[in-house]
């Protein structure tokens, strides 16, 4: 009889211990999930604030502060964004997809007045390109104040009568380059429009002097009250003419 | 001597004179027949034949020397005129009618379609901006033409351009449309400032200039009423996105001091009477009308992303029925509006 009571007590203790383990485990998990969720929320909130700050900075072409001006509705986060200088003698575009084109500015573009200048530096411009798969070819259009010049370059000679590119580029990560001579560019060039044919490619532009700005960029860094910090960079190009609205077609 | 040998000898002696006479006649004939053969005169057919130099008049029969058909007198028996049967000439090939054809100036051409543009052997200039070169893309003296890219290219032997840059599907060219007017409209609504209009009068009423305007439906451009008059576009820089179809009814669409781009989600139709359009015309489908003796000149650009219907022609088909003069100044004037932005976003931390 005594043994039987002991057995019941032992089983009861074991059941209680199991229940307690389950409860504690569930409780711990809920706490962790809640903390993760809160952290994720803080991350999202901080990232959104950083994006808003850089977009506002590009739009206003100046420094922006979270909680002030156009960002006054954002709370619980500190920081802001500043415009990044892009003055350089080289410029790398995003990847230009097949049959699309990139509009590169040789004359000054004023995004506030939306006007394009009419003067350029008479310097040779080198355009580099490549792809890891099919070789792209380029059709380059030089828009000048009083004329249009064009160049076609194809490393694989698929375009009849196209020029062959050089295999030397100032940035050695590119396989091919083509020079637009200074005599052609002269002092009255406005835009270079480069279309990628057969395959997409990034475009690397270079010359000896700094180029005109190709767009606006800003870097934003914010920190939430919970200590989550985010830093983002945004480049917005100046207007790009789509190739589908540029080449005559029928 | 045998009995037979005596008979032959007796026979020869009896008819010696006759035999000699026959032999002489035979030799005379043998001599004269070749002479008669060489005396055959030759005449070009379908001419009355004069007596030949030996006094032998026709009939003449016709035969073919290999290079020409001539007549000769085969036997000098009958006196008739030489009238040969009319020779059956090889039929002259009927020239294939050159259908409507197009010519570009200062442009670059890129199409998802095959380019079938048979240019005639002789080209007459459309107007003072054109020339008589049998060339698909001509240029002003200081300009360089662009490449001609299409699935295939048929110019009836004419040259593509002075540079002769071209590529076809056989050389690996393929193209899909990346941005349609419908895509651009979506972009405009999400990224650009724009205003809605219902007709052209809304533009002048609201003083819209240097901007993008969007219609909520079809648009008609003519001069019949204030709502449709092209004069509403004078002195404007506008990108007009037509959510529907565009009907161009003006005889000459040339708003003064203006740069206008029409981006049409449906179809652009030029009236048969329209002769001139200044602007950038972009649509999936463009119909430039029908005419028996009138072409269409576009100054700006024309982009039919899928289909161009051209039923225009001139009475003299040596003139292009569609002449497109690429105008870069319109693109530069509309640069902030007829454009998209490119973004590079990076998370650094």
């Amino acid at each position: 009889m005594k043994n039987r009571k002991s057995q019941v007590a032992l089983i009861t203790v074991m059941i209680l211990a199991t229940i307690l383990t389950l409860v504690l485990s569930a409780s711990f998990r809920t706490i962790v999930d809640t903390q993760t969720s809160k952290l994720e929320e803080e991350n999202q909130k901080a990232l959104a604030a950083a994006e808003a700050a850089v977009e506002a900075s590009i739009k206003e072409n100046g420094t922006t502060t979270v909680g002030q001006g156009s960002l006054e509705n954002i709370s619980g986060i500190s920081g802001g964004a500043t415009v990044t200088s892009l003055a350089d003698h080289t410029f790398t575009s995003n990847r230009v997809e097949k049959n699309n084109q990139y509009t590169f500015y040789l004359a000054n573009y004023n995004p506030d007045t939306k006007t394009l200048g009419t003067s350029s530096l008479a310097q040779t411009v080198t355009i580099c390109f490549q792809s890891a798969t099919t070789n792209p070819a380029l059709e380059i259009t030089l828009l000048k104040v009083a004329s249009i010049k064009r160049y076609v370059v194809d490393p694989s000679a698929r375009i009849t009568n196209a020029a062959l590119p050089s295999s030397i580029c100032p940035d050695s990560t590119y396989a091919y380059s083509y020079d637009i001579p200074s005599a052609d560019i002269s002092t009255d060039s406005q835009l270079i429009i480069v279309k990628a044919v057969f395959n997409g490619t990034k475009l690397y532009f270079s010359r000896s002097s700094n180029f005109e700005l190709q767009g606006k960029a800003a870097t934003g860094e914010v920190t939430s009250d919970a200590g989550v910090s985010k830093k983002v960079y945004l480049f917005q190009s100046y207007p790009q003419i789509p190739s589908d609205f540029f080449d005559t077609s029928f | 001597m045998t009995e037979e040998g005596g008979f032959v000898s007796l026979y020869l002696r009896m008819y010696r004179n006759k035999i000699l006479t026959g032999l002489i006649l035979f030799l005379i004939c043998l001599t004269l027949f070749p002479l008669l053969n060489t005396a055959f005169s030759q005449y070009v057919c379908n001419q009355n034949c004069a007596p030949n130099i030996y006094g032998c008049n026709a009939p003449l029969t016709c035969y073919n020397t290999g290079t020409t058909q001539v007549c000769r007198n085969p036997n000098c028996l009958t006196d008739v005129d030489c009238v040969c049967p009319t020779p059956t000439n090889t039929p002259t090939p009927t020239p294939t009618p050159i259908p409507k054809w197009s010519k570009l100036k200062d442009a670059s051409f890129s199409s998802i379609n095959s380019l079938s543009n048979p240019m005639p052997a002789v080209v007459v200039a459309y107007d003072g901006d054109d020339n008589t070169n049998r060339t698909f893309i001509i240029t002003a003296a200081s300009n360089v033409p662009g490449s001609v890219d299409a699935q295939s290219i048929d110019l009836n032997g004419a040259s593509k351009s002075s540079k002769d840059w071209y590529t076809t599907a056989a050389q690996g060219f393929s193209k899909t449309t990346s941005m349609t007017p419908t895509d651009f409209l979506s972009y405009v609504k999400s990224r650009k400032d724009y205003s809605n209009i219902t007709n052209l009068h809304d533009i002048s009423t609201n003083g819209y200039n240097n901007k993008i305007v969007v219609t909520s439906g079809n648009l008609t451009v003519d001069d019949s009423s204030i709502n449709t008059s092209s004069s509403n576009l004078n002195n404007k820089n506008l990108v007009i996105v037509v959510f529907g179809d565009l009907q161009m009814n003006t005889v000459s669409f040339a708003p003064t001091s203006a740069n206008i781009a029409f981006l049409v989600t449906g179809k652009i139709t030029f009236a048969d009477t329209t002769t001139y359009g200044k602007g950038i015309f972009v649509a999936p489908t463009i119909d430039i009308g029908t005419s028996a003796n009138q072409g269409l000149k576009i100054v700006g650009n024309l982009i039919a992303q899928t289909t161009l219907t051209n039923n225009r022609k001139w009475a003299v088909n040596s003139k292009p029925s569609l002449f497109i003069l690429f105008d870069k100044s319109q693109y530069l004037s509309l640069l902030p509006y007829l454009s998209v932005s490119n973004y590079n976003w990076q998370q650094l931390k």
Side-chain angles (χ1 to χ4, degrees), chain A residues 47 51 54-55 92 94-103 105 109 113-116 139 141 143-152 157-163 190-191 195 197-198 219 221-222 229-250, chain B residues 102 104 106-115 136 142-147 149 163-167 171-181 184 191 193 263 280 282 301-306 308 322 324 326 328 331-332 335-349:
Chain A
L47 193 58
E51 286 177 6
V54 290
E55 283 189 16
T92 305
N94 283 346
R95 179 180 162 86
V96 179
E97 296 300 333
K98 175 182 165 184
N99 294 319
N100 286 356
Q101 64 187 27
Y102 197 84
T103 306
Y105 289 75
Y109 180 74
T113 60
K114 297 180 177 174
T115 53
L116 180 64
E139 181 174 353
T141 304
L143 292 184
K144 298 163 69 76
V145 171
S147 64
I148 307 171
K149 296 198 178 300
R150 289 190 173 88
Y151 314 83
V152 175
R158 292 152 298 186
I159 300 177
T160 304
N161 297 317
Q190 296 177 286
L191 300 174
K195 183 171 74 174
V197 188
F198 299 114
T219 303
E221 187 163 16
V222 300
S229 184
K230 292 290 173 189
K231 187 176 183 180
V232 298
Y233 167 86
L234 179 66
F235 169 78
Q236 181 187 24
S237 75
Y238 286 155
Q240 299 287 312
I241 304 171
S243 63
D244 287 310
F245 301 162
F246 191 70
D247 291 331
T248 303
S249 184
F250 49 78
Chain B
S102 310
L104 316 181
D106 296 333
S108 184
F109 184 85
S110 181
S111 175
I112 62 171
N113 301 312
S114 292
L115 173 61
F136 180 52
S142 56
N143 294 342
V144 177
S147 179
D149 303 337
K163 292 290 185 183
D164 209 26
W165 289 319
Y166 69 94
T167 185
Q171 294 154 282
F173 174 76
S174 66
K175 182 181 179 180
T176 53
T177 302
S178 301
M179 179 165 280
T180 64
F184 186 71
R191 286 279 178 180
D193 292 330
L263 273 69
I280 298 166
V282 185
N301 206 353
L302 183 137
I303 297 156
Q305 293 185 325
T306 305
L308 173 73
L322 175 62
I324 301 170
F326 178 85
K328 69 177 176 58
Y331 281 95
L332 294 176
L335 185 58
Y337 318 108
L338 187 59
S339 59
V340 297
S341 281
N342 204 302
Y343 294 89
N344 179 11
W345 184 91
Q346 295 173 35
Q347 185 175 343
L348 305 175
K349 188 161 76 175

Side-chain angles (χ1 to χ4, degrees), chain B residues 193-267:
Chain B
D193 292 330
Y194 70 97
S195 296
N196 290 308
I197 61 168
T198 54
N199 56 53
L200 293 184
H201 192 221
D202 289 345
I203 292 171
S204 51
T205 301
N206 295 293
Y208 292 149
N209 188 20
N210 294 314
K211 74 181 292 127
I212 301 169
V213 294
V214 177
T215 74
S216 53
N218 298 341
L219 186 71
T220 298
V221 180
D222 59 33
D223 296 320
S224 63
S225 77
I226 191 68
N227 284 341
T228 58
S229 173
S230 59
S231 64
N232 290 301
L233 303 174
N234 289 346
N235 306 303
K236 308 287 188 190
N237 290 326
L238 293 170
V239 171
I240 302 174
V241 184
V242 179
F243 186 63
D245 297 336
L246 171 67
Q247 179 70 43
M248 295 293 294
N249 287 341
T250 51
V251 172
S252 177
F253 176 74
T256 55
S257 303
N259 297 288
I260 309 294
F262 290 98
L263 273 69
V264 180
T265 62
K267 180 180 182 181

Side-chain angles (χ1 to χ4, degrees), chain B residues 17-279:
Chain B
N17 290 338
K18 288 182 181 177
I19 290 171
L20 282 173
T21 304
L23 190 62
I24 289 167
L25 283 174
F26 174 75
L27 291 173
I28 288 171
C29 287
L30 202 63
T31 308
L32 283 180
F33 269 117
L35 281 175
L36 283 174
N37 279 333
T38 56
F40 290 163
S41 293
Q42 293 184 346
Y43 300 89
V44 175
C45 287
N46 295 329
Q47 287 187 356
N48 290 332
C49 301
N52 69 26
I53 55 173
Y54 297 101
C56 178
N57 291 330
L60 304 177
T61 58
C62 297
Y63 72 97
N64 200 320
T65 66
T67 55
T68 182
Q69 197 169 40
V70 296
C71 306
R72 71 175 181 182
N73 184 351
N75 49 22
C76 298
L77 293 177
T78 313
D79 184 10
V80 293
D81 285 336
C82 165
V83 180
C84 295
T86 303
T88 308
N89 295 324
T90 305
T92 305
T94 305
T96 305
I98 301 291
K100 60 278 174 180
W101 58 283
S102 310
K103 200 170 177 183
L104 316 181
K105 185 173 185 179
D106 296 333
S108 184
F109 184 85
S110 181
S111 175
I112 62 171
N113 301 312
S114 292
L115 173 61
S116 178
N117 191 53
M119 298 177 72
V122 176
V123 171
V124 172
Y126 189 97
D127 61 9
D129 285 328
D130 193 7
N131 60 29
T132 57
N133 290 355
R134 194 164 178 256
T135 304
F136 180 52
I137 304 178
I138 61 167
T139 56
S142 56
N143 294 342
V144 177
S147 179
V148 179
D149 303 337
Q151 293 306 300
S152 63
I153 300 169
D154 174 15
L155 298 177
N156 194 28
S159 66
K160 283 88 178 170
S161 70
S162 59
K163 292 290 185 183
D164 209 26
W165 289 319
Y166 69 94
T167 185
T168 63
Q171 294 154 282
F173 174 76
S174 66
K175 182 181 179 180
T176 53
T177 302
S178 301
M179 179 165 280
T180 64
T182 302
D183 297 332
F184 186 71
L185 178 58
S186 300
Y187 180 86
V188 165
K189 287 184 173 177
S190 63
R191 286 279 178 180
K192 288 200 176 252
D193 292 330
Y194 70 97
S195 296
N196 290 308
I197 61 168
T198 54
N199 56 53
L200 293 184
H201 192 221
D202 289 345
I203 292 171
S204 51
T205 301
N206 295 293
Y208 292 149
N209 188 20
N210 294 314
K211 74 181 292 127
I212 301 169
V213 294
V214 177
T215 74
S216 53
N218 298 341
L219 186 71
T220 298
V221 180
D222 59 33
D223 296 320
S224 63
S225 77
I226 191 68
N227 284 341
T228 58
S229 173
S230 59
S231 64
N232 290 301
L233 303 174
N234 289 346
N235 306 303
K236 308 287 188 190
N237 290 326
L238 293 170
V239 171
I240 302 174
V241 184
V242 179
F243 186 63
D245 297 336
L246 171 67
Q247 179 70 43
M248 295 293 294
N249 287 341
T250 51
V251 172
S252 177
F253 176 74
T256 55
S257 303
N259 297 288
I260 309 294
F262 290 98
L263 273 69
V264 180
T265 62
K267 180 180 182 181
I268 298 176
T269 303
F270 289 89
D272 297 346
T273 51
T274 302
T275 61
Y276 180 89
K278 182 189 173 197

Side-chain angles (χ1 to χ4, degrees), chain A residues 91-140:
Chain A
F91 177 82
T92 305
S93 76
N94 283 346
R95 179 180 162 86
V96 179
E97 296 300 333
K98 175 182 165 184
N99 294 319
N100 286 356
Q101 64 187 27
Y102 197 84
T103 306
F104 187 82
Y105 289 75
L106 289 177
N108 174 264
Y109 180 74
N110 186 327
D112 298 324
T113 60
K114 297 180 177 174
T115 53
L116 180 64
T118 56
S119 62
S120 58
L121 275 180
Q123 284 184 6
T124 298
V125 174
T126 300
I127 303 172
C128 303
F129 62 102
Q130 78 156 19
S131 171
T133 55
T134 304
N135 272 337
L138 302 183
E139 181 174 353
I140 303 165

Side-chain angles (χ1 to χ4, degrees), chain A residues 35-70:
Chain A
Q35 285 177 341
T36 304
S37 175
K38 196 166 174 67
L39 187 63
E40 183 62 30
E41 188 183 324
E42 285 290 316
N43 266 320
Q44 296 288 348
K45 194 175 166 186
L47 193 58
E51 286 177 6
V54 290
E55 283 189 16
S57 197
I58 283 175
K59 191 171 184 179
E60 296 166 21
N61 202 23
T63 301
T64 53
T65 305
V66 174
Q68 297 177 16
S70 59

